[in-house]
Amino acid sequence: MAVLPYVIDGTAENFARVVLENSRRGPVAVNFWSPRAGPCLVLMPRLVRIAQEFGGRILLVMLNTDDHGELIARLGVRALPLVQVFRAGEVKGSLQGVSSEADLRALFSRHAPVSDAVMQAHVRGDTAQAARLAAQSALERPGDPYAALRVARLLVLDKRPREAFALLDALPSEARSEGEIAALHAHLALIATLLEGGDEPPISQADGLFREAAAAVAHDEYETACERLIACAACDPDYRQGLALRAARALAALPMADEARAHIDALLASRR
């Protein structure tokens, strides 16, 4: 039944190696099937399509229950078709019956790490594809704000900072306050201000100071940027929901000379 490198025939003899050992390195889905059961034959091509879609992020093992009755009894399999996902030698998820492609995709997505595929795409220089894969992961995990953070970072690498900022800006306020997310959101806010400010005059003194900070960041003048942000926060603490101070703290997390960092730390200390 094996038709792809990541679709393997399972047996009683190779189960420990192919399923249990491999599941300690990544997710393994086992399809328990029988050639005598029509529903199994309906499910099988769906599984293969989904496995192909995941491109090796999950190993699919086809196990013919007719040939390995003792193993099946030991595993407690009683009804077919059955798909079980193993991680670290244990069953972590399953689907019984002729499942839809959407249900199979959701099962695989919960257990197959997207990070490897994302990094592989990024390493080979296809950051746009990496961003798409990370975005798919974010959609599959709507309650995970760090999925959005991964997408935003890749969008920045793909020279799409405005999209990255819009993505993080759409997160709930409590998610935007998380450390890494807050730092990137604030930094991107400066970049977005620089890109979108144009030649229009600032609408307030605080707005003018924030724009000056954005321009300073664009030239890697972090001390100047921090000074302008602190001044902006002092002028209007509620400017863009307190973004100026968050942006200043984000600057402190960037790599820079020790002297510049000490200056910024001192500026931030004055606001505590």
Side-chain angles (χ1 to χ4, degrees), residues 154-227:
L154 287 164
L155 288 171
V156 171
L157 291 172
D158 201 35
K159 298 181 173 59
R160 294 152 66 188
R162 278 177 281 201
E163 292 177 54
F165 176 65
L167 175 63
L168 294 185
D169 205 40
L171 292 174
S173 58
E174 59 272 18
R176 289 201 308 271
S177 67
E178 294 287 336
E180 290 180 273
I181 296 175
L184 183 59
H185 180 262
H187 196 191
L188 287 171
L190 291 169
I191 296 173
T193 297
L194 180 66
L195 292 174
E196 298 172 3
D199 297 325
E200 295 180 8
I203 59 174
S204 66
Q205 183 181 359
D207 189 51
L209 289 166
F210 196 84
R211 292 192 191 193
E212 289 177 17
V217 167
H219 293 91
D220 295 330
E221 298 170 357
Y222 298 138
E223 292 176 86
T224 299
C226 194
E227 288 173 355

Side-chain angles (χ1 to χ4, degrees), residues 54-165:
F54 274 69
R57 283 159 47 205
I58 190 164
L59 181 67
L60 176 60
V61 176
M62 302 289 198
L63 206 156
N64 185 339
T65 58
D66 288 5
D67 296 338
H68 307 286
E70 185 178 335
L71 172 64
I72 299 308
R74 190 166 72 246
L75 294 173
V77 176
R78 294 182 176 82
L80 301 177
L82 173 66
V83 179
Q84 292 183 332
V85 176
F86 287 75
R87 290 299 305 267
E90 298 180 356
V91 177
K92 298 296 185 180
S94 64
L95 282 175
Q96 182 84 54
V98 184
S99 303
S100 67
E101 287 195 17
D103 287 341
L104 291 168
R105 189 176 292 109
L107 175 67
F108 282 22
S109 297
R110 284 195 294 272
H111 302 282
V114 72
S115 57
D116 290 346
V118 170
M119 288 311 300
Q120 286 169 11
H122 176 51
V123 167
R124 66 174 180 264
D126 193 354
T127 306
Q129 171 65 1
R132 283 192 291 272
L133 289 170
Q136 176 187 330
S137 174
L139 288 172
E140 291 163 354
R141 298 169 173 83
D144 177 11
Y146 285 93
L149 176 63
R150 289 189 290 273
V151 180
R153 284 172 171 162
L154 287 164
L155 288 171
V156 171
L157 291 172
D158 201 35
K159 298 181 173 59
R160 294 152 66 188
R162 278 177 281 201
E163 292 177 54
F165 176 65

